[in-house]
Amino acid sequence: MLRGKLGPEPLRLYAKPVLAELSYEKLAKDPFQTPQEAQVWFRLGDQLKSAFVPLSIVDEESRTVRAAFLGERDGKIFVSFPPTNFGQTRFFSSESNLMMIARSS
């Protein structure tokens, strides 16, 4: 057999990214990280998901961070944040989980 098992259906990108603000549960500014970066945690259903993000996209007063919804695969939304020294955080989540923490921007 020359072909392997196919993975999930291809990612379908939106014509234009959807920008949103996501409410986070916890924010950590580690002294070993660069001062322009932070780690945030989101409650997505029964999971706690973390992301390294630039501080410039964090609003500590409203406890939100800006994100871009880039597309969908297998009924889940592709969420992305700007890159940091730790790389770029991206993940998939269901629309219902995101609606619990998202504010349209």
Side-chain angles (χ1 to χ4, degrees):
M1 180 166 176
L2 297 176
R3 298 176 67 189
K5 181 179 177 182
L6 294 174
E9 70 180 61
L11 174 64
R12 298 183 64 210
L13 295 175
Y14 298 145
K16 183 178 177 185
V18 176
L19 303 180
E21 293 179 1
L22 302 180
S23 297
Y24 60 83
E25 287 206 358
K26 180 180 171 187
L27 170 75
K29 298 179 199 175
D30 190 322
F32 297 106
Q33 296 174 4
T34 61
Q36 301 85 13
E37 298 173 354
Q39 187 173 11
V40 293
W41 285 265
F42 306 100
R43 173 70 55 195
L44 295 169
D46 59 353
Q47 290 186 333
L48 200 58
K49 203 55 118 168
S50 73
F52 286 99
V53 298
L55 272 177
S56 61
I57 66 168
V58 175
D59 184 337
E60 291 184 67
E61 189 174 310
S62 67
R63 297 183 56 85
T64 59
V65 61
R66 291 190 301 276
F69 299 166
L70 301 180
E72 297 179 23
R73 181 175 70 196
D74 293 332
K76 294 192 175 187
I77 297 175
F78 184 40
V79 181
S80 181
F81 300 93
T84 68
N85 287 329
F86 293 99
Q88 186 169 17
T89 301
R90 297 175 171 173
F91 59 81
F92 287 89
S93 183
S94 70
E95 181 179 7
S96 60
N97 284 342
L98 288 171
M99 292 308 296
M100 300 294 288
I101 64 168
R103 297 183 196 170
S104 182
S105 62

